Amino acid sequence: MIDILHSINIVTDYVLFKCFAKSTAGHGIHSPMVYDFSRSVLGNKNNYEEPNEVEWFRNWQIDSSISVGPSDYGAGSRLMKKSEKLGAVIKNSSVSPKVGAFLYRLAKWSGSKNILELGTSVGVSTMYLASANPDAAVITLEGDWQRAELAHNSFDLFNFNNIKLIEGDFEQGLNESLNLFPTLDLVFFDGNHKAEPTLRYFKQCLKKINGNTIFVFDDIRWSREMYKAWKVIAEHQSVSVSVDLFHQGVVFFRKGITKQHFKINF
Ligand SMILES: C[S@@+](CC[C@H](N)C(=O)[O-])C[C@H]1O[C@@H](n2cnc3c(N)ncnc32)[C@H](O)[C@@H]1O
């Protein structure tokens, strides 16, 4: 019953979102920073060219005969009950080409040098993040050994020397990675889609933010509790600007600007 109500809410929410959200052209967005973000990152007005190798890798793996077992980690991953072909895992759990290109442009536009990702899976989003700036340090966390191994092999194959993969539960991996970063410029939360751990990881990462840090949360409407967690994050006192992209939520921590919330059609 709760699931049916959630689905009805999602549809209603989607229709309202499409009607009232701003366009990526930036009309009516009165924050200069969000205007630029909307045009440059969402609308790609700077013509950033995302790397071909990630999509080449994705297409190459679609027909792979490798069988991947279910991950024991994360609310989303538990939907997978049996082993599946690698292509199906990529299709069901990795970012789409559109969202991958968004992450790439965001890392490029923000000049992020210290990038953390919670939830590597087989490494598709990690490669987008790491391609934006070869000088950036990217740490990515994955609990499932097989996914971690596949991601590791791909990073080696494509010579991504700026990625460090920490295998194990986020509970340990997050502390370890936060100790390694002097500060955090960009964090992609794409692992455990439950409210309590998401809020806990958010608060842990706050210890390393600076005025230009950006956090991206994937699947903010994955469930009612994830959406509630997103609302708590957007309202948090340290957040100055939140941007709701329907599936992803982005928060900024710029100092000296009035708190504002945006919804943008992406
Ligand atoms: C949605 S997938 C990540 C997809 C990846 N970011 C991409 O777009 O290519 C989420 C991953 O997070 C991992 N995960 C979820 N909760 C975790 C936890 N508590 N500790 C470690 N890994 C976790 C799962 O094993 C799964 O591979």
Side-chain angles (χ1 to χ4, degrees):
M1 186 62 180
I2 287 177
D3 282 349
I4 296 172
L5 280 178
H6 178 60
S7 306
I8 294 169
N9 279 343
I10 286 275
V11 173
T12 317
D13 208 12
Y14 185 75
V15 172
L16 290 173
F17 188 93
K18 287 286 162 193
C19 291
F20 295 109
K22 306 280 185 216
S23 84
T24 57
H27 305 303
I29 297 179
H30 299 300
S31 153
M33 191 259 302
V34 180
Y35 179 83
D36 189 28
F37 163 78
S38 186
R39 291 175 64 86
S40 304
V41 179
L42 301 175
N44 196 16
K45 286 284 181 285
N46 292 353
N47 292 321
Y48 294 132
E49 283 252 350
E50 64 269 18
N52 293 329
E53 63 255 48
V54 191
E55 285 317 310
W56 184 85
F57 165 78
R58 192 199 298 269
N59 292 332
W60 174 50
Q61 299 294 20
I62 291 297
D63 299 321
S64 160
S65 59
I66 295 174
S67 173
V68 182
S71 167
D72 288 337
Y73 295 89
S77 315
R78 291 205 183 98
L79 294 178
M80 185 177 154
K81 300 275 185 248
K82 53 181 175 48
S83 294
E84 283 182 9
K85 292 278 181 263
L86 177 55
V89 173
I90 291 180
K91 196 161 169 253
N92 297 330
S93 75
S94 302
V95 288
S96 64
K98 178 181 169 182
V99 175
F102 154 72
L103 291 173
Y104 170 82
R105 292 195 296 268
L106 181 60
K108 202 146 189 89
W109 172 77
S110 59
S112 292
K113 290 272 169 64
N114 299 287
I115 303 177
L116 173 64
E117 174 181 61
L118 286 89
T120 321
S121 189
V122 295
V124 173
S125 52
T126 325
M127 290 197 266
Y128 272 109
L129 289 165
S131 307
N133 183 352
D135 296 335
V138 181
I139 297 184
T140 183
L141 311 180
E142 175 55 52
D144 178 69
W145 70 270
Q146 195 186 8
R147 284 164 178 74
E149 193 175 287
L150 288 164
H152 225 285
N153 293 342
S154 307
F155 302 155
D156 284 349
L157 184 69
F158 290 96
N159 289 322
F160 279 105
N161 302 319
N162 58 339
I163 302 175
K164 179 179 171 64
L165 193 160
I166 299 181
E167 187 189 327
D169 199 302
F170 294 161
E171 303 296 326
Q172 292 89 45
L174 184 52
N175 277 330
E176 188 183 333
S177 53
L178 290 177
N179 286 333
L180 292 171
F181 279 121
T183 184
L184 287 171
D185 300 316
L186 177 58
V187 183
F188 182 42
F189 296 81
D190 188 19
N192 197 340
H193 297 319
K194 289 200 160 204
E196 189 278 325
T198 300
L199 290 170
R200 192 152 34 84
Y201 306 148
F202 164 70
K203 284 180 189 153
Q204 275 175 272
C205 290
L206 284 181
K207 291 179 197 147
K208 286 282 168 112
I209 57 170
N210 61 68
N212 293 319
T213 302
I214 304 168
F215 287 178
V216 180
F217 296 86
D218 201 16
D219 290 324
I220 57 172
R221 287 180 173 79
W222 196 78
S223 63
R224 281 155 70 97
E225 66 165 279
M226 257 314 274
Y227 188 60
K228 278 189 189 156
W230 160 248
K231 297 297 259 182
V232 172
I233 289 163
E235 289 300 341
H236 192 275
Q237 56 181 7
S238 58
V239 169
S240 53
V241 168
S242 78
V243 182
D244 180 344
L245 302 175
F246 197 78
H247 293 296
Q248 291 78 30
V250 185
V251 290
F252 297 84
F253 301 90
R254 295 273 166 106
K255 300 263 184 293
I257 57 175
T258 315
K259 194 174 186 98
Q260 276 183 291
H261 304 292
F262 296 87
K263 288 181 195 286
I264 303 179
N265 255 317
F266 165 58

